[in-house]
Amino acid sequence: MDTAAQLSHTPSGTQWTIRSGGQEAVIVEVGGGVRAFTSDGRDVVAGFAEHERAVGSGGQVLAPWPNRIRDGRYAFGGEHLQLPLTEPDRHNAIHGLVNWVRWHVVDATPDSVTVAHDLVSRPGYPWPLRLQTTWSVSAAGLRAEHVVTNTGDSAAPFGLGTHPYVLVPGVPVDELTLRVPARSRLLVDARMLPIGAARVAGSEYDFTEGRRLGATVLDTAFGEVDPDAEGGSQVDVTAPDGRGVTVWADSSFTWWQVFSSDALPADRLRKALAIEPMTCPPDAFRSGRDVVTLEPGSSWRGAWGIRAF
C-alpha cells in the first residue's frame, strides 16, 4: 500500500495507490473517487494528473444525489428545500455534496482502501450521513463498495451515482461499439433536465444489442434496464480489435448515464465515454422516482466495478 503522497499542495489531496497482479488504481482524498486505473499497464479510465482537479467530474462519487436537480429546489417530508446552484449556467444543483470535499482513510491494505466522509447537516440538505467506500483491485478488475448511513434523527432522501470515463487506448470514441441493456431513455430540455421518456427500440439510441457509436452525441440517462442473472447489469464498450471495457453494477443501480464527452475541453473531446451507474434518474428529488428513503440509523449498500477485456 503506497500512502506516500502529497497532503497539501495536490488539488486532489492524498493519493492512495492499490495494486494486485497487473491491476492498479489511484484513489484520491478530494471526492473519495478514482483518479486512475490500469490493467496490465493499459489505461482503462481516462483520469487526470496528480496536479489537476478532476476534469468533468471524472471518477467522482456523486451523492446524496447524482445528476441534476432543477433550480436546486425540492420538497421532502413536508419541507421545501433549496440547494446551492452548482451548475449556475443551467440554474441546477448538480452531482451532490461530496465530490469536492475531503474523505479520510479508514482502512488500507496493498489491494484495497476504505475511505469515508461525514456529511454534516446543512441548508438545503439537513440530514447528516456517513458515507464509506471500499475500493479494491483484483484479477476481476476495480471494485467499489459503498455504504451510506443516516446518522440523523429523521428520514432522508438519497441517491448515488459515479462518474468514470472509460477508454480503449488509441481508439476514438466514434469507433467503439457500445452496449447498454436499457429499453428507454429520458428526453431532456436545454438544461439537461427530464421532460419525458421514449423507447429506444429502432432509434439511434438503441444500444441493446451493441452497435458502433459513430457520430452519435450522448449525455443520456437510460432506464428500464434489463437485469442480468444476478439482478444487476453491465455496459460494454468494445474496439474493432476486440479490446474493451465493462462497467458493471449490482441491483442497487437501475439507471445508466452515458456521456460522449462532447462538452469537455478540446484535449478530452470525445476521447472517452463516461459510463455512470446511478440509483435514480436526473431530478429525482423533485419527481421522487427511485429515490431511496434512508430512515434514521439505516444504511444503503451498493457495489459496481470496471474490468478490461
Side-chain angles (χ1 to χ4, degrees), residues 88-105:
D89 290 349
R90 291 178 171 148
H91 213 257
N92 297 322
I94 191 170
H95 289 343
L97 300 168
V98 299
N99 52 339
W100 296 111
V101 299
R102 293 186 184 275
W103 295 54
H104 63 273
V105 67

Side-chain angles (χ1 to χ4, degrees), residues 202-214:
S203 76
E204 64 175 323
Y205 298 94
D206 188 350
F207 296 97
T208 53
E209 300 301 324
R211 67 174 182 80
R212 185 175 177 271
L213 186 66

Side-chain angles (χ1 to χ4, degrees), residues 181-240:
R183 302 295 170 178
S184 66
R185 67 179 177 98
L186 294 185
L187 308 175
V188 296
D189 61 17
R191 294 166 59 188
M192 300 306 296
L193 292 161
I195 55 174
R199 296 285 182 179
V200 300
S203 76
E204 64 175 323
Y205 298 94
D206 188 350
F207 296 97
T208 53
E209 300 301 324
R211 67 174 182 80
R212 185 175 177 271
L213 186 66
T216 302
V217 174
L218 295 176
D219 194 353
T220 306
F222 291 91
E224 295 187 79
V225 173
D226 291 332
D228 57 26
E230 288 74 40
S233 59
Q234 67 180 51
V235 172
D236 304 306
V237 294
T238 309

Side-chain angles (χ1 to χ4, degrees), residues 8-57:
S8 57
H9 71 274
T10 304
S12 53
T14 304
Q15 316 281 300
W16 296 288
T17 300
I18 53 177
R19 301 182 180 92
S20 178
Q23 314 294 307
E24 181 174 303
V26 180
I27 310 305
V28 295
E29 176 188 12
V30 177
V34 56
R35 181 173 71 77
F37 171 47
T38 60
S39 178
D40 295 326
R42 168 185 144 194
D43 286 330
V44 182
V45 302
F48 53 97
E50 191 172 337
H51 66 273
E52 295 179 311
R53 291 189 299 271
V55 180
S57 300

Side-chain angles (χ1 to χ4, degrees), residues 1-7 14-19 105 107-109 112-113:
M1 179 71 200
D2 179 7
T3 58
Q6 289 71 30
L7 296 175
T14 304
Q15 316 281 300
W16 296 288
T17 300
I18 53 177
R19 301 182 180 92
V105 67
D107 187 41
T109 69
S112 72
V113 61

